[in-house]
Amino acid sequence: MGEKILIVEDEPTLSETLAYNLQKQGYEVETASDGWEAIRKSRDTSPDLIILDIMLPGIDGLEVCKIIRRESNVPILMLTARADEVDKIVGLEVGADDYMTKPFSLREFLARVRALLRRVRLMKQTPLATTESGEETGKIVFGDLTVDSVRHSASLRGEEIHLKPKEFDLLLFFVKHRGIALSRDKILEQVWGWDYGGGTRTVDVHVRGLREKIEDDPRHPARLVTVRGVGYRFEG
Ligand code: CA
């Protein structure tokens, strides 16, 4: 079965055209024509990608994007007809992954969709180190950083890094979601658990601790990137 795409657009002609062409490419398509329906369908159908128009009846696409981003890392491609909206999207204030300005060509649209889905597939694959016989060692290697998911340890340039248990859990969670912007709420829920009483500041404190331990080489670009309005992204 193909990947699932949710189209959120209130102009029926455009929505139908996009849906028809995506289905022709083998994607499974859901549609929504207003903001609340978009949020509901995003929750109910867990799409692999959301195409989200900004101008919608009810709550607009920017608000929809913020709400969805608080609970999911699904890639979001925004559609806009206005140049002044582009600044908001580009500034990543709302957490969208890409945007297109109307009018756009179908060919360009399909190319962007493919690129976004491919990026997510690639990011989900972690570079597992293997032994000479090809067995997986549980070690995940990012340049000079090695994370051992079996022994629950990590090393930098061959030297073991001393991580607190929660710092390791957090690092492993980031590694497994490499390249994906993760909200503080999501991190808190997944790493600390539903019943954890503390606030999202805990996440910031642990991220700061991790950064000091895995980003000690100023020549190396930041591994843990702050995503404004969202949370953090592990770059590898
Ligand atoms: Ca619209």
Side-chain angles (χ1 to χ4, degrees), residues 104-197:
F104 49 79
S105 80
L106 200 53
R107 216 176 64 156
E108 171 72 5
F109 170 76
L110 293 173
R112 296 283 191 96
V113 166
R114 269 196 303 276
L116 270 175
L117 287 170
R118 189 172 53 233
R119 203 176 82 198
V120 172
R121 275 197 303 271
L122 278 177
M123 293 302 190
K124 280 183 182 164
Q125 292 169 1
T126 47
L128 282 176
T130 52
T131 61
E132 277 179 27
S133 57
E135 273 174 79
E136 286 182 359
T137 58
K139 286 185 183 164
I140 308 160
V141 182
F142 303 98
D144 56 10
L145 174 69
T146 301
V147 180
D148 190 328
S149 62
V150 175
R151 291 184 52 240
H152 278 235
S153 65
S155 60
L156 194 62
R157 293 184 291 278
E159 297 266 322
E160 174 143 0
I161 316 167
H162 297 286
L163 295 172
K164 295 174 193 157
K166 268 290 170 259
E167 284 177 342
F168 179 81
D169 294 347
L170 181 62
L171 177 60
L172 191 61
F173 182 67
F174 274 126
V175 162
K176 286 182 172 168
H177 297 85
R178 183 187 178 197
I180 301 171
L182 301 162
S183 71
R184 289 175 177 81
D185 286 328
K186 176 105 181 170
I187 295 168
L188 201 63
E189 175 202 314
Q190 296 289 314
V191 178
W192 276 265
W194 277 108
D195 47 355
Y196 179 73

Side-chain angles (χ1 to χ4, degrees), residues 9-11 53 55 102:
E9 169 62 86
D10 60 319
E11 294 159 47
D53 187 40
M55 293 284 273
K102 295 178 182 177

Side-chain angles (χ1 to χ4, degrees), residues 42-56:
S42 164
R43 286 173 183 157
D44 291 350
T45 66
S46 305
D48 298 293
L49 172 70
I50 299 178
I51 314 292
L52 179 58
D53 187 40
I54 291 187
M55 293 284 273
L56 294 170

